[in-house]
Amino acid sequence: MPDRSTVSSVGNCDWQAPAGVTSLRVLVVGGGGAGGGGLTTKHFGGGGGGGEVKDSTVSTTSGAIFAVTVGAGGAGTNHNADSTTVNNGQSSSFGSTTASGGTSMTD
């Protein structure tokens, strides 16, 4: 079974390729968008969009360092208010592989 590393805390860090590794399989997932807030007596808010998912193979050399970003999900949408960009999910990345965040629903 191949070795695995998981970075799941929101934020930035660096990841170093172990000795002898020449290829990496990376799964990068953008943060999800918040659901819509809904409107009183009209409708409930709809679900937000999921973050983009990228599954790719990356060539590397032993000891190479990759920048990693884990994007946060969108901030909750207020009831009776339209979504804004703070309600969208943030992008995530591993080196040059980037997955966009999901978009929040507008009412």
Side-chain angles (χ1 to χ4, degrees):
M1 168 134 323
D3 290 336
R4 291 187 164 91
S5 294
T6 302
V7 180
S8 57
S9 297
V10 172
N12 302 305
C13 66
D14 288 330
W15 185 87
Q16 186 172 17
V21 173
T22 59
S23 180
L24 305 169
R25 182 173 178 195
V26 298
L27 181 68
V28 182
V29 182
L39 295 174
T40 302
T41 72
K42 297 192 187 272
H43 59 81
F44 293 104
E52 180 180 25
V53 177
K54 294 267 183 94
D55 183 359
S56 63
T57 301
V58 176
S59 295
T60 189
T61 57
S62 297
I65 296 175
F66 293 86
V68 178
T69 299
V70 177
T77 306
N78 292 326
H79 184 66
N80 282 336
D82 283 333
S83 298
T84 66
T85 56
V86 301
N87 306 115
N88 295 335
Q90 297 174 342
S91 296
S92 297
S93 63
F94 182 93
S96 63
T97 302
T98 300
S100 299
T103 302
S104 180
M105 178 99 192
T106 55
D107 292 320

